[in-house]
Amino acid sequence: MDNQLASNTTTRVIAQDFDYSAPASLAEALSIRNEYGEDVRPLAGGTDLLIELKADLREEGHLMSLDGVDELNHITDADDDLVIGATVTFDQLIESPLVNDWFPSLSEAASDAGGVQVEKMGTVGGNLCNASPAASSAPPLLNLDARVTLQSEDGERTVPLDEFFTGPKQTLLESDELLTEVRVPKTRFDGWAHEEVKRVTEDLAKAIVSVVVQRDGDVITDCRIGLGCVAPVPMRASNAEAVLNGETFSDDVLARAGATAREEISPISDSRSTSEYRRLITETKIEDLLTEAWDRA
Ligand SMILES: Cc1cc2nc3c(=O)[nH]c(=O)nc-3n(C[C@H](O)[C@H](O)[C@H](O)COP(=O)(O)OP(=O)(O)OC[C@H]3O[C@@H](n4cnc5c(N)ncnc54)[C@H](O)[C@@H]3O)c2cc1C
């Protein structure tokens, strides 16, 4: 097998040696994280991490499975927030009556994330900590003003999701911390729509557009547009939102919002798409999805 093919395949065994821990509680997991810091890598569903190890894109000396940490696997109704534990899988989001009831755009995003294997194994914590600009859960969670809880043995802090991502594959997470939960304020939007533009279902997206909207008659009172794959980090199209909020819903205002979003994104060209296509499809999908969300409202 030539080197190019070997580095692209995801079916080969993991050639590296590494230590492996399987803590049975959050306290034990945080203690291991505190002891080994950068030298231990949390392992959730492994759908990003194991593939990078197989392809020799990274080396890890020590993996710590979060599978046995039951405290991280729950979806809880907690007064003003819905709290989603870090190891909740896409499949659990899709199946959750609470998530479907409050945040249908998040359920839809989960069902768009890869194929069946990724839905069964991929977790929301892994999705956010991997910090890909193409993270499916990020645009709807940004729209919903989600916060993430980062915990270490020294305590915990809560960070707005829009501050958590600091660059491609970069976050605020410190080496002694775990992301333990995502807290989502229980705001019910009148309308929503979510779409990922992909080559095939199993692939990462070329562009993600996720919208929620509140309406008062014909007036858009609160519209939020989350985007993926069009900037170094998942983002809200704040300038486009400003064009829409307070306006009467019309084709003209949709066109102005789409054109504004096209200018405020900074997509790159890569193996999945070109920068120009990403600008064009984002503009078009914003108009389409706002119409879909409005019709639902
Ligand atoms: C075929 C295929 C298709 C895919 N399609 C999509 C898609 O459409 N959309 C999409 O968003 N993703 C997609 N992915 C990527 C991946 O499935 C998701 O990003 C998934 O959510 C990762 O979660 P995980 O639990 O598997 O993370 P892991 O691979 O276990 O971990 C990912 C990273 O997060 C860190 N981490 C995990 N949990 C924690 C935690 N609690 N605290 C601190 N650090 C943590 C790990 O150390 C690692 O660095 C796809 C992957 C494959 C293989």
Side-chain angles (χ1 to χ4, degrees):
M1 191 181 296
D2 67 34
N3 285 343
Q4 182 62 37
L5 185 56
S7 69
N8 284 341
T9 185
T10 57
T11 53
R12 59 196 276 254
V13 294
I14 300 173
Q16 313 170 18
D17 285 333
F18 53 83
D19 293 331
Y20 183 77
S21 302
S25 69
L26 181 57
E28 197 186 336
L30 292 175
S31 164
I32 294 168
R33 194 74 166 132
N34 192 40
E35 184 176 350
Y36 294 97
E38 290 290 353
D39 294 334
V40 65
R41 174 74 52 181
L43 171 68
T47 60
D48 281 312
L49 184 53
L50 294 186
I51 283 162
E52 290 177 7
L53 292 182
K54 284 179 178 180
D56 286 334
L57 295 175
R58 66 156 85 216
E59 285 187 17
E60 298 295 346
H62 187 162
L63 297 185
M64 176 177 71
S65 169
L66 301 179
D67 205 31
V69 183
D70 290 346
E71 296 105 304
L72 298 179
N73 194 260
H74 63 95
I75 299 175
T76 309
D77 194 338
D79 300 327
D80 295 338
D81 292 333
L82 209 64
V83 184
I84 301 171
T87 62
V88 165
T89 62
F90 291 125
D91 200 45
Q92 285 177 285
L93 291 177
I94 296 165
E95 295 296 324
S96 164
L98 278 171
V99 174
N100 280 297
D101 180 26
W102 282 99
F103 313 128
S105 59
L106 181 59
S107 308
E108 182 78 11
S111 67
D112 280 355
V116 174
Q117 295 100 323
V118 166
E119 283 174 17
K120 296 281 180 206
M121 296 300 294
T123 66
V124 67
N127 198 225
L128 299 177
C129 291
N130 189 56
S132 163
S136 291
S137 68
L141 286 172
L142 287 170
N143 284 345
L144 296 165
D145 289 334
R147 287 130 37 229
V148 287
T149 303
L150 311 180
Q151 199 170 335
S152 71
E153 276 200 309
D154 293 335
E156 66 175 44
R157 56 189 177 130
T158 301
V159 175
L161 186 59
D162 65 354
E163 293 172 17
F164 180 63
F165 302 116
T166 54
K169 299 270 185 181
Q170 306 284 326
T171 70
L172 287 179
L173 197 73
E174 297 287 348
S175 62
D176 62 343
E177 290 177 320
L178 287 173
L179 189 156
T180 52
E181 63 188 19
V182 184
R183 301 190 74 93
V184 195
K186 280 165 40 193
T187 305
R188 207 184 290 281
F189 281 84
D190 294 329
W192 63 274
H194 178 99
E195 190 171 331
E196 306 199 0
V197 180
K198 295 180 168 194
R199 193 175 50 91
V200 291
T201 314
E202 288 75 17
D203 201 0
L204 286 170
K206 302 172 188 206
I208 304 174
V209 178
S210 195
V211 303
V212 286
V213 64
Q214 306 282 35
R215 66 184 287 179
D216 181 4
D218 288 339
V219 176
I220 306 164
T221 55
D222 185 359
C223 175
R224 303 179 185 186
I225 304 170
L227 302 175
C229 316
V230 292
V233 295
M235 62 175 281
R236 289 262 298 271
S238 322
N239 295 346
E241 292 173 6
V243 167
L244 293 155
N245 288 329
E247 294 293 321
T248 299
F249 189 87
S250 68
D251 288 345
D252 174 60
V253 78
L254 291 191
R256 282 193 283 123
T260 302
R262 183 187 171 120
E263 295 308 313
E264 71 180 304
I265 60 179
S266 51
I268 58 165
S269 298
D270 61 12
S271 57
R272 288 195 173 77
S273 189
T274 63
S275 155
E276 184 49 29
Y277 179 77
R278 287 185 160 119
R279 283 191 196 277
L280 188 66
I281 199 69
T282 299
E283 177 178 7
T284 307
K285 288 295 171 190
I286 283 177
E287 294 182 39
D288 291 352
L289 294 192
L290 284 169
T291 305
E292 188 181 328
W294 194 255
D295 289 345
R296 239 184 208 131

